[in-house]
PDB file of all heavy atoms in Angstrom:
ATOM      1  N   ASP A  79     -21.122  38.307  24.133  1.00  0.00           N
ATOM      2  CA  ASP A  79     -21.291  36.936  23.551  1.00  0.00           C
ATOM      3  C   ASP A  79     -20.177  36.689  22.448  1.00  0.00           C
ATOM      4  O   ASP A  79     -20.433  36.226  21.422  1.00  0.00           O
ATOM      5  CB  ASP A  79     -22.681  36.866  22.917  1.00  0.00           C
ATOM      6  CG  ASP A  79     -23.030  35.409  22.450  1.00  0.00           C
ATOM      7  OD1 ASP A  79     -22.360  34.508  22.890  1.00  0.00           O
ATOM      8  OD2 ASP A  79     -24.013  35.237  21.748  1.00  0.00           O
ATOM      9  N   TYR A  82     -21.167  37.973  18.908  1.00  0.00           N
ATOM     10  CA  TYR A  82     -22.562  37.850  18.362  1.00  0.00           C
ATOM     11  C   TYR A  82     -23.453  38.952  19.042  1.00  0.00           C
ATOM     12  O   TYR A  82     -24.630  38.828  19.017  1.00  0.00           O
ATOM     13  CB  TYR A  82     -23.101  36.464  18.663  1.00  0.00           C
ATOM     14  CG  TYR A  82     -22.465  35.429  17.673  1.00  0.00           C
ATOM     15  CD1 TYR A  82     -21.386  34.644  18.010  1.00  0.00           C
ATOM     16  CD2 TYR A  82     -23.038  35.303  16.409  1.00  0.00           C
ATOM     17  CE1 TYR A  82     -20.785  33.801  17.122  1.00  0.00           C
ATOM     18  CE2 TYR A  82     -22.495  34.443  15.471  1.00  0.00           C
ATOM     19  CZ  TYR A  82     -21.395  33.708  15.901  1.00  0.00           C
ATOM     20  OH  TYR A  82     -20.825  32.804  14.876  1.00  0.00           O
ATOM     21  N   VAL A 119     -25.113  39.030  11.900  1.00  0.00           N
ATOM     22  CA  VAL A 119     -26.095  38.888  12.945  1.00  0.00           C
ATOM     23  C   VAL A 119     -27.227  39.894  12.675  1.00  0.00           C
ATOM     24  O   VAL A 119     -27.148  41.057  13.113  1.00  0.00           O
ATOM     25  CB  VAL A 119     -25.438  39.141  14.273  1.00  0.00           C
ATOM     26  CG1 VAL A 119     -26.353  38.790  15.438  1.00  0.00           C
ATOM     27  CG2 VAL A 119     -24.216  38.223  14.435  1.00  0.00           C
ATOM     28  N   HIS A 122     -30.402  40.723  15.911  1.00  0.00           N
ATOM     29  CA  HIS A 122     -30.289  41.486  17.191  1.00  0.00           C
ATOM     30  C   HIS A 122     -28.996  42.317  17.148  1.00  0.00           C
ATOM     31  O   HIS A 122     -28.102  42.008  16.248  1.00  0.00           O
ATOM     32  CB  HIS A 122     -30.323  40.725  18.445  1.00  0.00           C
ATOM     33  CG  HIS A 122     -29.377  39.544  18.390  1.00  0.00           C
ATOM     34  ND1 HIS A 122     -29.730  38.205  17.987  1.00  0.00           N
ATOM     35  CD2 HIS A 122     -28.035  39.329  18.620  1.00  0.00           C
ATOM     36  CE1 HIS A 122     -28.706  37.433  18.015  1.00  0.00           C
ATOM     37  NE2 HIS A 122     -27.670  38.134  18.371  1.00  0.00           N
ATOM     38  N   PHE A 185     -32.470  35.784  22.220  1.00  0.00           N
ATOM     39  CA  PHE A 185     -31.343  35.034  22.739  1.00  0.00           C
ATOM     40  C   PHE A 185     -31.076  35.509  24.159  1.00  0.00           C
ATOM     41  O   PHE A 185     -31.911  35.436  25.070  1.00  0.00           O
ATOM     42  CB  PHE A 185     -30.140  35.098  21.834  1.00  0.00           C
ATOM     43  CG  PHE A 185     -29.323  33.825  21.880  1.00  0.00           C
ATOM     44  CD1 PHE A 185     -29.752  32.672  21.341  1.00  0.00           C
ATOM     45  CD2 PHE A 185     -28.015  33.955  22.459  1.00  0.00           C
ATOM     46  CE1 PHE A 185     -28.977  31.511  21.352  1.00  0.00           C
ATOM     47  CE2 PHE A 185     -27.270  32.724  22.488  1.00  0.00           C
ATOM     48  CZ  PHE A 185     -27.752  31.605  22.002  1.00  0.00           C
ATOM     49  N   GLN A 189     -28.950  41.183  24.118  1.00  0.00           N
ATOM     50  CA  GLN A 189     -28.994  41.017  22.608  1.00  0.00           C
ATOM     51  C   GLN A 189     -30.442  41.327  22.131  1.00  0.00           C
ATOM     52  O   GLN A 189     -31.201  40.494  21.747  1.00  0.00           O
ATOM     53  CB  GLN A 189     -28.587  39.652  22.075  1.00  0.00           C
ATOM     54  CG  GLN A 189     -27.083  39.368  22.322  1.00  0.00           C
ATOM     55  CD  GLN A 189     -26.686  37.919  22.297  1.00  0.00           C
ATOM     56  OE1 GLN A 189     -27.417  37.090  22.929  1.00  0.00           O
ATOM     57  NE2 GLN A 189     -25.624  37.608  21.608  1.00  0.00           N
ATOM     58  N   ARG A 219     -23.058  34.056   6.427  1.00  0.00           N
ATOM     59  CA  ARG A 219     -23.758  33.066   7.311  1.00  0.00           C
ATOM     60  C   ARG A 219     -24.688  33.928   8.144  1.00  0.00           C
ATOM     61  O   ARG A 219     -24.252  34.914   8.750  1.00  0.00           O
ATOM     62  CB  ARG A 219     -22.642  32.282   8.177  1.00  0.00           C
ATOM     63  CG  ARG A 219     -23.170  31.358   9.163  1.00  0.00           C
ATOM     64  CD  ARG A 219     -23.334  31.958  10.512  1.00  0.00           C
ATOM     65  NE  ARG A 219     -23.639  30.960  11.539  1.00  0.00           N
ATOM     66  CZ  ARG A 219     -24.047  31.345  12.734  1.00  0.00           C
ATOM     67  NH1 ARG A 219     -24.055  32.604  13.162  1.00  0.00           N
ATOM     68  NH2 ARG A 219     -24.343  30.408  13.680  1.00  0.00           N
ATOM     69  N   ASP A 221     -27.014  34.446  11.280  1.00  0.00           N
ATOM     70  CA  ASP A 221     -27.205  34.054  12.606  1.00  0.00           C
ATOM     71  C   ASP A 221     -28.724  33.978  12.956  1.00  0.00           C
ATOM     72  O   ASP A 221     -29.385  34.885  12.476  1.00  0.00           O
ATOM     73  CB  ASP A 221     -26.485  35.069  13.497  1.00  0.00           C
ATOM     74  CG  ASP A 221     -26.432  34.578  14.999  1.00  0.00           C
ATOM     75  OD1 ASP A 221     -25.714  33.650  15.231  1.00  0.00           O
ATOM     76  OD2 ASP A 221     -27.092  35.192  15.781  1.00  0.00           O
ATOM     77  N   ILE A 222     -29.052  33.046  13.643  1.00  0.00           N
ATOM     78  CA  ILE A 222     -30.555  32.729  14.035  1.00  0.00           C
ATOM     79  C   ILE A 222     -31.557  33.392  13.131  1.00  0.00           C
ATOM     80  O   ILE A 222     -32.423  34.138  13.531  1.00  0.00           O
ATOM     81  CB  ILE A 222     -30.827  32.995  15.508  1.00  0.00           C
ATOM     82  CG1 ILE A 222     -30.509  34.413  16.008  1.00  0.00           C
ATOM     83  CG2 ILE A 222     -30.172  31.969  16.432  1.00  0.00           C
ATOM     84  CD1 ILE A 222     -31.055  34.711  17.434  1.00  0.00           C
ATOM     85  N   GLU A 288     -28.585  29.996   9.494  1.00  0.00           N
ATOM     86  CA  GLU A 288     -28.668  29.182  10.776  1.00  0.00           C
ATOM     87  C   GLU A 288     -30.061  29.192  11.125  1.00  0.00           C
ATOM     88  O   GLU A 288     -30.698  30.123  11.576  1.00  0.00           O
ATOM     89  CB  GLU A 288     -27.784  29.886  11.866  1.00  0.00           C
ATOM     90  CG  GLU A 288     -27.694  28.949  13.052  1.00  0.00           C
ATOM     91  CD  GLU A 288     -27.395  29.631  14.363  1.00  0.00           C
ATOM     92  OE1 GLU A 288     -27.680  30.866  14.571  1.00  0.00           O
ATOM     93  OE2 GLU A 288     -26.855  28.993  15.237  1.00  0.00           O
ATOM     94  N   HIS A 349     -19.182  26.250  16.860  1.00  0.00           N
ATOM     95  CA  HIS A 349     -18.758  26.940  18.138  1.00  0.00           C
ATOM     96  C   HIS A 349     -19.890  26.837  19.262  1.00  0.00           C
ATOM     97  O   HIS A 349     -19.636  27.378  20.259  1.00  0.00           O
ATOM     98  CB  HIS A 349     -18.473  28.387  17.831  1.00  0.00           C
ATOM     99  CG  HIS A 349     -19.571  29.071  17.247  1.00  0.00           C
ATOM    100  ND1 HIS A 349     -20.158  28.849  16.007  1.00  0.00           N
ATOM    101  CD2 HIS A 349     -20.312  30.108  17.719  1.00  0.00           C
ATOM    102  CE1 HIS A 349     -21.157  29.668  15.763  1.00  0.00           C
ATOM    103  NE2 HIS A 349     -21.300  30.433  16.822  1.00  0.00           N
ATOM    104  N   ASP A 350     -21.020  26.190  18.895  1.00  0.00           N
ATOM    105  CA  ASP A 350     -22.060  26.173  19.905  1.00  0.00           C
ATOM    106  C   ASP A 350     -22.355  24.727  20.358  1.00  0.00           C
ATOM    107  O   ASP A 350     -23.083  24.512  21.275  1.00  0.00           O
ATOM    108  CB  ASP A 350     -23.460  26.642  19.297  1.00  0.00           C
ATOM    109  CG  ASP A 350     -23.502  28.064  18.852  1.00  0.00           C
ATOM    110  OD1 ASP A 350     -22.734  28.883  19.615  1.00  0.00           O
ATOM    111  OD2 ASP A 350     -24.033  28.451  17.904  1.00  0.00           O
ATOM    112  N   ARG A 427     -20.136  26.736  26.207  1.00  0.00           N
ATOM    113  CA  ARG A 427     -19.611  26.564  24.909  1.00  0.00           C
ATOM    114  C   ARG A 427     -18.076  26.780  24.818  1.00  0.00           C
ATOM    115  O   ARG A 427     -17.465  26.502  23.749  1.00  0.00           O
ATOM    116  CB  ARG A 427     -20.402  27.485  23.894  1.00  0.00           C
ATOM    117  CG  ARG A 427     -21.821  27.176  23.773  1.00  0.00           C
ATOM    118  CD  ARG A 427     -22.661  28.156  23.005  1.00  0.00           C
ATOM    119  NE  ARG A 427     -22.612  29.482  23.613  1.00  0.00           N
ATOM    120  CZ  ARG A 427     -23.089  30.633  23.099  1.00  0.00           C
ATOM    121  NH1 ARG A 427     -23.699  30.518  21.907  1.00  0.00           N
ATOM    122  NH2 ARG A 427     -22.978  31.762  23.737  1.00  0.00           N
ATOM    123  N   ARG A 431     -14.449  25.652  22.114  1.00  0.00           N
ATOM    124  CA  ARG A 431     -13.826  26.845  21.505  1.00  0.00           C
ATOM    125  C   ARG A 431     -12.352  26.977  21.923  1.00  0.00           C
ATOM    126  O   ARG A 431     -11.833  28.099  21.913  1.00  0.00           O
ATOM    127  CB  ARG A 431     -14.580  28.141  21.987  1.00  0.00           C
ATOM    128  CG  ARG A 431     -16.068  28.152  21.488  1.00  0.00           C
ATOM    129  CD  ARG A 431     -16.849  29.258  22.091  1.00  0.00           C
ATOM    130  NE  ARG A 431     -18.156  29.286  21.523  1.00  0.00           N
ATOM    131  CZ  ARG A 431     -19.144  30.251  21.875  1.00  0.00           C
ATOM    132  NH1 ARG A 431     -18.822  31.133  22.709  1.00  0.00           N
ATOM    133  NH2 ARG A 431     -20.274  30.172  21.320  1.00  0.00           N
TER     134      ARG A 431
HETATM  135  C1  NOJ B 601     -26.094  31.586  17.265  1.00  0.00           C
HETATM  136  C2  NOJ B 601     -24.673  31.689  17.359  1.00  0.00           C
HETATM  137  O1  NOJ B 601     -24.121  30.567  16.637  1.00  0.00           O
HETATM  138  C3  NOJ B 601     -24.307  31.767  18.787  1.00  0.00           C
HETATM  139  O2  NOJ B 601     -22.957  31.528  19.058  1.00  0.00           O
HETATM  140  C4  NOJ B 601     -24.761  32.975  19.376  1.00  0.00           C
HETATM  141  O3  NOJ B 601     -24.511  32.983  20.792  1.00  0.00           O
HETATM  142  C5  NOJ B 601     -26.276  33.128  19.142  1.00  0.00           C
HETATM  143  N1  NOJ B 601     -26.699  32.792  17.790  1.00  0.00           N
HETATM  144  C6  NOJ B 601     -26.727  34.548  19.387  1.00  0.00           C
HETATM  145  O4  NOJ B 601     -26.244  35.395  18.387  1.00  0.00           O
END
Side-chain angles (χ1 to χ4, degrees):
D79 189 14
Y82 284 95
V119 188
H122 49 266
F185 211 70
Q189 291 162 315
R219 176 263 186 192
D221 191 68
I222 55 169
E288 189 204 23
H349 61 293
D350 296 327
R427 298 173 298 174
R431 299 173 176 179

